[in-house]
Amino acid sequence: MAEAAGVPARPLFFLLLALIALTIVIALKAVGALLVFAMIVIPAAAASLVSRTMTMMMVIAVLFGVSSSVGGVFLSYWLDLPSGAVIVLLATALF
C-alpha cells in the first residue's frame, strides 16, 4: 500500500528490521532471552487497548515501554529484585 502511494517502502522496511534487531540485542543483555519478547509485545498490546489510531498507538506504546523499563529498574533497585522480571511485571500491570 505504501509503494502504491509512492512511499519508498523497501528502505523503511529494512530500517524497521534493523531497529528491531538492535532493540533485541540491547534488551538481551538487560533482561534475558525470554523476557525480551514480553517487553516488545506487552506495551504494544496495552497501547492498542487505549488508542484509536495507529499513530497514537505507536506513541503510547513507546511511552508504556519506556515508563515500564525505567520504573522497573528503579523498583528492582529499591526492592532488590531482578530487573528483567520487574520490568515485565510492571508492563503487565500497565496492560
Side-chain angles (χ1 to χ4, degrees):
M1 189 168 181
E3 288 179 355
V7 176
R10 197 162 191 71
L12 291 175
F13 175 71
F14 287 120
L15 175 67
L16 179 65
L17 286 179
L19 289 174
I20 290 172
L22 182 66
T23 302
I24 290 172
V25 168
I26 291 171
L28 278 173
K29 295 249 184 206
V31 297
L34 190 58
L35 296 177
V36 169
F37 299 110
M39 284 181 59
I40 291 173
V41 171
I42 292 173
S48 70
L49 294 175
V50 296
S51 63
R52 295 180 189 242
T53 64
M54 182 64 104
T55 305
M56 199 57 154
M57 185 178 104
M58 292 189 316
V59 170
I60 293 171
V62 168
L63 291 175
F64 281 172
V66 169
S67 64
S68 65
S69 296
V70 172
V73 168
F74 282 124
L75 278 174
S76 71
Y77 176 74
W78 286 329
L79 300 174
D80 196 27
L81 295 170
S83 61
V86 175
I87 290 169
V88 171
L89 285 174
L90 193 58
T92 304
L94 281 174
F95 179 73

